[in-house]
């Protein structure tokens, strides 16, 4: 993954839900304080208020921003909608870019990783998880500008080590894509990153069971669990659904919908040591 430098141009896009103008303005101010030139997205009025425009408009904005003279494309927020536009983007034709997003943007990470582009699962500048969290800001900036290559956090659920390409993101979005025309399991030996927000334990059970029965975990050599904010007490569900898969599992790793979240790359190779609580790029 390429690093950013001061003076680089960054395009903000809205592939999912609309973000408030005040949040986007505050996020842009932070990005500009890093020395970046920032262009903001155009959000059209649309009959479905939870979308930042029609599928065609959001896909066109995404492609136009990506193919412009920018070093990075950054999603302003998640919400819902990315899954609706994946078949409208010519993924194989997109030039290399730094890409940042999380939550609903999980499906866009999967598409980009599938064509060989590394991406960043991190906080988005049109959300409180970025604007109101200086620690999360600093961790994203460090990854984008300095190239962080190792993290130590979490607690072991199943001890052991694994080496593979980092994949995954939001568990509900991964399950939603299962069985669709563009669905594909992880590459052999992949290390899966999983997190979610606002899912009751029984719903999380359903999400993980769907992924298990679809064979999504079969190629996976290790699992790293992030935050489960607003999901209640999910420890027993996670252990029940994942501990028996026969791979190392590291829990409470601190990425996703949580304070001070780590920004982590996807589509790159890493070594997981669940016993030591480390994730290291190779």
């Amino acid at each position: 993954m390429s690093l950013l430098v001061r003076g680089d141009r960054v395009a903000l896009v809205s592939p999912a839900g609309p973000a408030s103008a005040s949040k986007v303005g505050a996020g842009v101010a932070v990005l500009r304080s890093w020395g970046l030139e920032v262009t903001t997205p155009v959000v059209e009025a649309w009959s479905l208020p939870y979308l930042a425009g029609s599928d065609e408009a959001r896909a066109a904005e995404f492609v136009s921003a990506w193919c412009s003279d920018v070093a990075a494309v950054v999603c302003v927020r998640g919400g819902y909608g990315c899954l609706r536009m994946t078949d409208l983007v010519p993924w194989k034709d997109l030039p290399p870019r730094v890409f940042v997003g999380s939550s609903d943007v999980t499906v866009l990470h999967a598409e980009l990783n599938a064509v060989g582009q590394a991406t960043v699962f991190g906080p988005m500048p049109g959300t409180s998880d970025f604007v109101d969290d200086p620690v999360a800001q600093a961790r994203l900036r460090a990854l984008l500008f300095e190239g962080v290559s190792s993290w130590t956090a979490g607690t072991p659920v199943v001890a052991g080590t694994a080496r593979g390409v980092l994949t995954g993101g939001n568990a509900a979005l991964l399950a939603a894509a299962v069985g669709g025309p563009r669905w594909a399991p992880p590459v052999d030996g992949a290390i899966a990153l999983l997190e979610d927000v606002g899912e009751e334990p029984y719903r999380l059970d359903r999400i993980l069971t769907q992924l298990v029965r679809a064979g999504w975990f079969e190629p996976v050599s290790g699992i790293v669990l992030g935050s489960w904010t607003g999901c209640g007490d999910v420890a027993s569900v996670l252990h029940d659904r994942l501990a028996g898969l026969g791979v190392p599992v590291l829990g409470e790793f601190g990425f996703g919908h949580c304070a001070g979240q780590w920004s982590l790359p996807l589509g790159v190779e890493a070594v997981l040591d669940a016993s030591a609580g480390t994730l290291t790029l190779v």
Side-chain angles (χ1 to χ4, degrees):
M1 186 185 74
S2 300
L3 299 180
L4 298 183
V5 297
R6 293 182 67 87
D8 275 344
R9 296 184 65 233
V10 173
L12 302 189
V13 295
S14 295
S20 74
S22 61
K23 279 286 193 295
V24 173
V28 167
V30 173
L31 296 177
R32 287 177 175 161
S33 76
W34 297 353
L36 299 172
E37 297 182 19
V38 184
T39 61
T40 56
V42 176
V43 179
E44 68 170 24
W46 183 241
S47 57
L48 300 177
Y50 49 82
L51 297 175
S54 67
D55 297 340
E56 293 77 11
R58 287 179 288 110
E61 178 203 49
F62 181 85
V63 173
S64 176
W66 197 285
C67 294
S68 64
D69 183 22
V70 296
V73 175
V74 179
C75 298
V76 295
R77 63 157 292 182
Y80 170 73
C82 291
L83 190 63
R84 292 176 49 136
M85 55 166 270
T86 54
D87 57 343
L88 302 175
V89 176
W91 299 102
K92 293 181 180 180
D93 298 332
L94 299 180
R97 298 284 186 264
V98 173
F99 179 67
V100 181
S102 55
S103 195
D104 191 69
V105 181
T106 291
V107 294
L108 306 188
H109 286 291
E111 296 283 359
L112 290 163
N113 296 162
V115 296
Q117 296 221 36
T119 57
V120 175
F121 193 88
M124 298 171 284
T127 69
S128 295
D129 288 341
F130 178 88
V131 171
D132 301 323
D133 192 333
V135 173
Q137 292 174 21
R139 287 176 168 173
L140 176 60
R141 187 183 187 284
L143 181 61
L144 294 179
F145 285 81
E146 300 167 20
V148 180
S149 60
S150 65
W151 298 263
T152 301
T155 57
V157 177
V158 178
T161 62
R163 175 170 177 163
V165 174
L166 299 177
T167 191
N170 183 267
L173 267 296
L174 296 169
V178 165
R182 306 185 64 85
W183 175 80
V187 299
D188 287 342
I191 296 173
L193 308 180
L194 297 175
E195 64 86 34
D196 219 316
V197 61
E199 300 287 356
E200 293 292 330
Y202 79 92
R203 294 178 61 175
L204 181 59
D205 185 314
R206 181 178 64 197
I207 288 165
L208 295 176
T209 298
Q210 184 176 2
L211 290 171
V212 169
R213 292 190 172 179
W216 192 87
F217 288 105
E218 289 178 7
V220 168
S221 66
I223 300 172
V224 181
L225 302 175
S227 65
W228 307 94
T229 303
C231 295
D233 184 2
V234 298
S236 58
V237 174
L238 294 171
H239 190 275
D240 179 82
R241 294 287 75 195
L242 302 177
L245 296 178
V247 300
V249 181
L250 179 59
E252 300 179 0
F253 200 70
F255 68 91
H257 297 77
C258 59
Q261 64 180 280
W262 293 113
S263 291
L264 298 174
L266 297 175
V268 298
E269 193 171 6
V271 172
L272 165 66
D273 187 334
S275 304
T278 61
L279 187 67
T280 307
L281 303 186
V282 296

